[in-house]
Amino acid sequence: MGRHGWNSAALRWRLTALLGVGAAVLALIVTLVNTLPGGGSTAGTSRDGDKVHGTPATPPDADRPEVGWGFTHTQYSADEGSGTATERVEGLLRTSRLPQDQAIMGWGADNPEPVKGRYDFGALDRRVDFMRASGGTPVITLCCSPDWMKGGTSGVDHTDWSQASLETAPKPDHYADYAALAATVAKRYPDVTHFIVWNEFKGFWNDAERRWDYEGYTELYNLVYKALKKVNPKIMVGGPYLVMDSLDPRDANASRTFKGRWGAMDQRIIDAFDYWNEHKAGADFVVVDGSSYTNDDDLLPDEFGATDKLTAVSEWVREQTHGLPLWWAEYYVEPADGNDDRKGWSESHRVAVQATGMIALARGGATSGFYWNPEKEKGTECAGCLWTPTDGPGGGRQLPMYDLVSRFDAAFGPGARFETVPVAADDVPNVRVLATDKAILVVNTLDRQISAKVDGRTFDMTAYEVKWLMRTPT
């Protein structure tokens, strides 16, 4: 009995050992199959990156270079969370049909090509599906780049998500690889016809010369531009997505000619823009971003007056590009704290300054802009967000900033013809106004109640109120 028991134990040991060896061999085989000769796991990837994903939609602005006023998806958005909450946001967006921007890597999207020729578009597919379902014009920002294109390690499990890595540009000998990736993305989503090339010149700083590597960026831009046009000549491409930095006029890098009460433009930015503008292969629209405040977070002369910079920069860019449609990929009016959060103002204050900034952009000739939506994953508080977090069934509810962006797009989108309306002399310093023959947006720039007279109508406004007036076209 005991011997049988010993034998039984021995048999179990031998069987376990054999199974263990088998499992190890199987794991080794799987690893070898999922590993390319040059190293780097390919598990979960596909060679079919350019295969059309899902059911392409018909966006509202597919054939025009101006898409209007929308928002950018960031790390968290309404493509995930409670079904009730995400459907609530979809419903909001289907009504407004706001244009939506998404990067191909980072800000909610995974590494799209962790190994050369092997693709992982799962997260980006989900964002594109959401944009399709919510009815807005989809825009893709071609940033950032897989690790193997910038000197990092190839492989699914080797993506370095640190800020330093994410903000590293592809190496010059991989510019063509990046252009090929851009073409793959364009083939995968044929209903996306608007592409922005790169983001804020990330990684294109020339340390030796203490200036932007505008030659490198322009080389990358031109390769991507040509690759996208080869996929579909109707695809519209824009750049350079420079941050239009302003400085204290006394700064050594401050422009001596391009300045205002808001500060002075950084001459190094002007030089970079000029080079791209002169040497670009082409552009269907021009893209910039920036803030109303200086690099030192100074709001000159105050938070409302500083938005005049957005008008001045817009007018300058339009002049340099001979009237190309102007997009602002990002625009900021509230300085961030050390964690890059903007939550120091009340929501009414924030919305009032934001509205003033958007008025300034439109006055300068911008016809498209994307609000950087600082969405949170969980909770009920979300300063500056478009909707409440979607983690629970009660989430996804419209917030004041969504009301502003959606109404601004509806009233002042592409093709809007602005009109001057009378404003009482005493009210001119206190209100900002933008009008067409159908609507007027009025902003109270004071932290107190006022009585204003605009377009012949007198009305009270609470502190920092944003007020909409409807007009009857004549």
Side-chain angles (χ1 to χ4, degrees):
M1 185 77 174
R3 193 174 64 178
H4 285 291
W6 183 87
N7 286 335
S8 297
L11 180 61
R12 288 197 300 274
W13 182 87
R14 290 189 185 99
L15 180 60
T16 300
L18 288 171
L19 289 172
V21 170
V25 171
L26 179 61
L28 178 60
I29 292 172
V30 170
T31 299
L32 291 173
V33 167
N34 289 322
T35 303
L36 294 182
S41 172
T42 63
T45 65
S46 170
R47 294 187 183 277
D48 300 327
D50 58 359
K51 182 180 178 180
V52 174
H53 167 70
T55 304
T58 304
D61 296 302
D63 298 323
R64 59 188 297 175
E66 300 164 308
V67 296
W69 304 89
F71 67 94
T72 295
H73 292 279
T74 53
Q75 182 177 2
Y76 305 111
S77 195
D79 59 311
E80 292 186 293
S82 159
T84 301
T86 58
E87 288 173 10
R88 185 175 289 122
V89 178
E90 280 187 13
L92 283 175
L93 293 172
R94 278 195 297 271
T95 300
S96 60
R97 307 195 77 182
L98 295 178
Q100 303 170 42
D101 179 32
Q102 172 63 48
I104 64 168
M105 180 176 174
W107 301 284
D110 293 332
N111 186 337
E113 193 179 3
V115 175
K116 185 174 183 178
R118 303 298 297 245
Y119 303 95
D120 178 9
F121 284 118
L124 186 57
D125 286 347
R126 189 175 64 246
R127 286 280 167 96
V128 170
D129 286 342
F130 179 82
M131 291 191 284
R132 287 170 173 171
S134 55
T137 298
V139 175
I140 284 182
T141 293
L142 295 165
C143 184
C144 294
S145 72
D147 295 60
W148 60 272
M149 293 188 191
K150 53 195 179 189
T153 303
S154 176
V156 169
D157 299 325
H158 293 148
T159 300
D160 182 351
W161 289 108
S162 68
Q163 182 176 352
S165 176
L166 198 62
E167 295 187 353
T168 297
K171 291 185 176 296
D173 56 353
H174 285 297
Y175 287 173
D177 291 321
Y178 195 79
L181 173 59
T184 298
V185 172
K187 293 174 183 177
R188 188 172 187 84
Y189 313 115
D191 48 338
V192 180
T193 55
H194 299 83
F195 287 85
I196 301 173
V197 182
W198 208 241
N199 173 307
E200 296 185 336
F201 266 45
K202 285 179 169 59
F204 285 99
W205 177 253
N206 185 324
D207 279 318
E209 298 186 25
R210 305 303 298 167
R211 65 167 177 84
W212 292 105
D213 176 18
Y214 38 74
E215 299 95 339
Y217 169 80
T218 304
E219 181 181 351
L220 175 67
Y221 174 90
N222 287 342
L223 287 170
V224 171
Y225 177 90
K226 293 172 183 176
L228 291 174
K229 292 291 186 178
K230 187 174 181 179
V231 172
N232 178 4
K234 293 184 178 180
I235 285 177
M236 285 161 275
V237 187
Y241 203 155
L242 269 166
V243 184
M244 306 305 284
D245 286 333
S246 55
L247 309 168
D248 184 302
R250 297 167 294 184
D251 191 288
N253 293 303
S255 170
R256 299 295 175 250
T257 57
F258 191 177
K259 55 187 176 180
R261 62 177 188 163
W262 40 266
M265 282 298 297
D266 188 329
Q267 185 61 46
R268 296 168 297 183
I269 293 292
I270 295 175
D271 295 341
F273 187 93
D274 286 345
Y275 184 91
W276 170 83
N277 193 34
E278 181 179 351
H279 295 88
K280 65 184 182 299
D284 299 287
F285 52 90
V286 59
V287 187
V288 297
D289 89 343
S291 61
S292 58
Y293 43 87
T294 70
N295 277 13
D296 296 320
D297 289 346
D298 288 331
L299 291 158
L300 304 173
D302 56 41
E303 70 270 40
F304 290 97
T307 63
D308 290 345
K309 169 192 169 180
L310 304 178
T311 299
V313 171
S314 296
E315 291 175 340
W316 181 84
V317 171
R318 292 270 292 164
E319 181 180 355
Q320 304 309 305
T321 58
H322 306 292
L324 272 180
L326 171 58
W327 293 22
W328 282 75
E330 303 171 44
Y331 49 93
Y332 301 97
V333 296
E334 179 182 3
D337 61 19
N339 296 320
D340 202 32
D341 290 324
R342 292 171 173 84
K343 52 186 180 182
W345 294 347
S346 68
E347 199 68 12
S348 59
H349 188 188
R350 178 176 298 110
V351 172
V353 185
Q354 179 72 23
T356 303
M358 296 177 78
I359 289 173
L361 292 172
R363 283 179 173 170
T367 53
S368 303
F370 293 86
Y371 179 73
W372 190 268
N373 186 24
E375 189 63 32
K376 303 299 181 185
E377 182 181 17
K378 299 178 180 180
T380 56
E381 299 295 323
C382 203
C385 295
L386 298 176
W387 53 78
T388 58
T390 56
D391 60 307
R397 298 188 184 277
Q398 174 177 320
L399 291 172
M401 196 64 77
Y402 181 88
D403 182 70
L404 170 64
V405 173
S406 60
R407 294 187 74 166
F408 196 94
D409 180 61
F412 307 126
R417 296 180 177 275
F418 300 113
E419 297 185 357
T420 300
V421 294
V423 179
D426 291 344
D427 295 324
V428 169
N430 304 330
V431 299
R432 294 295 177 98
V433 178
L434 189 65
T436 65
D437 63 343
K438 297 178 181 178
I440 305 175
L441 172 58
V442 186
V443 182
N444 177 11
T445 65
L446 300 179
D447 189 15
R448 62 174 175 81
Q449 180 173 320
I450 64 171
S451 179
K453 186 176 182 181
V454 177
D455 198 32
R457 284 176 271 186
T458 301
F459 46 86
D460 291 333
M461 299 187 75
T462 58
Y464 297 137
E465 183 178 356
V466 173
K467 193 175 189 66
W468 292 88
L469 306 174
M470 295 299 105
R471 306 180 78 199
T472 302
T474 57

